[in-house]
Every structure is written in structure tokens, then in C-alpha cells.
Amino acid sequence: MRLFFATILLTTAAFAQGDFYLKDGDRVVFYGDSITDQRLYTTFTESYVLTRFPRMNVSFIHSGWGGDRVSGGGGGPIDVRLQRDLIAFKPTVLTIMLGMNDGRYRAYDPDIFQQYSSGYESIIQTVKGALPGIRITAIQPSPYDDVTRAPMFAGGYNAVLVRYSQFLAELASRENLTLADLNMPVVTALKKAKSIDPALAQKLLPDRVHPGPAGHLLMAEALLKAWHAPAVVSSVEIDGESKKVAATANTKVTELQVDAGLTWTQEDAALPMPIDTTDPMIALALRSSDFVEALDRQPLRITGLSGARYVLRVDGDIAGSFSRQDLAEGVNLAILPSPMVKQALDAHALTIRRNQIHYERWRHLQVPLQEQKLEKLQPALDALDALEVELIAQQRAAAQPRPRRYELSPE
């Protein structure tokens, strides 16, 4: 559980919004097929933004539909899908992930590829024409699992998706789009997971197409990296010998007292990523990737201690037991069972509930009943909109960091 501390601790100001892709006031639409329709990499991404930038006002609409291709699908032809499920929301930011169904689960076919490439280009032009100034992230499609199971045919289906990904890279360059690769990082993690636990690794993509939550966490990491998401939640360095706070970032430390142990109050400006590290699949995904180092660092470093081992409590709850050397090198609070992680998980639960309200409104009322001219339909939709607004307020309130009391005592 050791975390080697950065040689230079950044100041709190450096952890402001900075280079992060999303800005205050953005409205994001996630558009895609059944993998987006699972609403997992998308809700992980939403909750990251909610907890890492709790004072930033960003809204999210999840518009994936199972079976979709660049031509549309079960939700209607592409012109209907784009207008109803994307353009109508007037997003400032759009992500598009299509391709899994477009390749038709067969070896590369140039005619099929032509339909995909021309259809994708048409989507970009339609969206840009309707929403000038929109920022678009083209997502290279997530993988078909040819790692933990034998390919269906020579070369495997994921190689077809990689060729489609190469087209998206060229299109992104031509059209000034942001590019997010959700394929190769997941493939790399799959290979490592297979080397660790072959049976469990198959469950990252249980049906080879649709990832489980742990697989979606890896996809969210790839998208957030493309958006230049910051790695650090907060960081603190305390010199126990001089009884002083040596450095902080994205947090405020007060009321430091040093005796046999240490106590202090810490008020962070963000929360750690809401993930349950006790879940075997999540744990495997973390071991198989650089997720923690890339997106979930909350280092605490304490030097100048005289005892051999110490227990760390946060708001009275035990977060962990550490040697003097562990603490001198730095421990990562983000992966400990702390009140901050519990709070982030509560906020994530509200993200899921809010998203479910939007989904029920859209998929079970608006779309199937829109042609029936029901008198009570619009009031019902308005009521669900109001309920979603209420849940958004709860989400944001739940994500606001709170002052926490820390206690480090000899074991």
C-alpha cells in the first residue's frame, strides 16, 4: 500500500480546473450503442467529475441505445436518434462510441467499413451543423475480447475494431476532434489480468462484447485520460519532528497537534474516486492497470516519527495500520476504507439513481408513447424532469467534501 511521494508537491492552486477538458457550465451527451447503454463507463466518468470538481456545474445525458450503428438502430434511424437523443439537449460536449455492431462481427470487409466511415463522417457534419462550437470526443470502440478466449476467425474481431479505430484517429485529426482510445488500454489490462487470474479475467468482458463494471472502470479511465483528468485528489506532508505541515495540495490542514502521535483537521477540495476496492473484479482491474496512479492518488506522508507502527483513524474510523517507513514514503488514502471513500460511494449511488430516472423517462415514456398523443404524457415527463433536478441537487450536495479529523497513534 505504499505510494512513493512526488519529489515536488504542487500547490493547491495547481489543482484547480486547469487543463481538464470539461468546464463549468458544460452539458455532456454520451452517445453510442449498447455498451454506452449499459451506463457504466459513463456513470463512472460522471461521478469522477462530480467528486473531483464538486463546485463545477456540469450536466450529463446518457444516450446509448443497444444495437446502434452509424445508421441508427432500435431507437430509430440516425436522423431521428441524432435530433431526439442528442441535438435536442444542446450539449456543449459530445462523446460518440460506435463500431462494435458496425463491423458485424466478421472479418474485415471494405464495403462494410465504407458504410461505417461515411456514416460516422455524416454524424460529425450533422452535429457540427446543428451545434456550432460543440466539442466532440470520438471514442475508439472498446474491445471484443480475443484475449481471454480464442478468436472466432483468423486475426480476431478486435483487429477489425482496431482498423476502425485507425480511421477515427484520422477523422479526429481532420475534424479537430478529441480522440479517446477505449480499446488498446483495455486489451493491455485484459492481458495482464489473464496472467494474474485467467478465470476471473474472462469476467471483465463476460460475453466478449459488454464489459462488466470493472471493465467499464478501465474504459472510464481511458476517457478521463483523454480529457487530461488530474490524478491527485489531495496531498499532505507533515514533519513530525518539527511539528509542522511541510506541504499541501488541494486541501487545508489545521489544528495540528503532535505528541506521541498526531492529530489534525483536514478539509480537502475533492473526494477520491468512488470505487469498492474489496470487490474482486474491481481489485483485478486495479492490479491490471495504472488506474490508481493515473486518477486516484491521495497521498499522506508523515516523516520524523519515532515509533515502529501507527494506526490511522479518520473521524474515529480505522483507515489502516502502517509502519514508520510506510508513512515516511507516503500512503494513498484514496484506496483505504475511509469516510471520504464512503462519501464518494454515496454520491455515486445518487448518480446511478439520477441516471435511472432519466432513462425511465426517455425509454419507457417519451419514445414508446410519443405518437399516441396522450393528454397526461407531458405532465408525466415534466414531473420526472423535476424529480431529476431534485436528485441532481442531492448528488452535488453529497459530493461536497467535509472537514475530517485525523488521528495517528502508536499501535
Side-chain angles (χ1 to χ4, degrees), residues 45 95 98 113 160 184 204 216 219 253 308 313 318 326 392:
T45 300
T95 73
L98 293 167
F113 170 75
V160 177
M184 294 314 295
L204 288 170
H216 275 274
M219 291 162 56
V253 175
R313 290 177 173 85
I318 294 178
D326 289 337
I392 288 171

Side-chain angles (χ1 to χ4, degrees), residues 263-277:
T263 59
W264 69 95
T265 297
Q266 186 169 321
E267 187 171 3
D268 295 341
L271 294 173
M273 186 70 186
I275 50 178
D276 179 7
T277 56

Side-chain angles (χ1 to χ4, degrees), residues 135-175:
R135 290 147 32 225
I136 300 174
T137 297
I139 296 179
Q140 294 171 305
S142 59
Y144 185 89
D145 183 7
D146 287 327
V147 174
T148 70
R149 303 165 179 86
M152 296 184 298
F153 47 80
Y157 186 57
N158 195 58
V160 177
L161 298 179
V162 170
R163 291 193 69 168
Y164 284 27
S165 295
Q166 292 167 351
F167 156 74
L168 290 180
E170 297 165 2
L171 180 66
S173 178
R174 292 200 313 267
E175 295 291 339

Side-chain angles (χ1 to χ4, degrees), residues 287-366:
R287 288 181 65 192
S288 304
S289 70
D290 66 346
F291 184 95
V292 171
E293 186 66 21
L295 290 178
D296 206 22
R297 295 180 56 207
Q298 193 177 19
L300 169 66
R301 183 187 184 200
I302 303 177
T303 59
L305 297 172
S306 58
R309 291 195 66 84
Y310 292 81
V311 174
L312 177 67
R313 290 177 173 85
V314 183
D315 289 348
D317 294 342
I318 294 178
S321 172
F322 308 100
S323 69
R324 178 176 59 211
Q325 184 179 357
D326 289 337
L327 291 163
E329 292 178 349
V331 296
N332 186 5
L333 300 178
I335 58 174
L336 301 180
S338 72
M340 298 83 75
V341 171
K342 293 174 185 175
Q343 183 185 348
L345 286 167
D346 288 343
H348 183 58
L350 287 167
T351 297
I352 293 170
R353 289 179 197 167
R354 182 215 57 88
N355 183 261
Q356 188 63 28
I357 292 298
H358 177 85
Y359 180 86
E360 294 294 334
R361 178 205 187 279
W362 170 42
R363 296 289 285 274
H364 294 158
L365 292 178
Q366 179 191 354

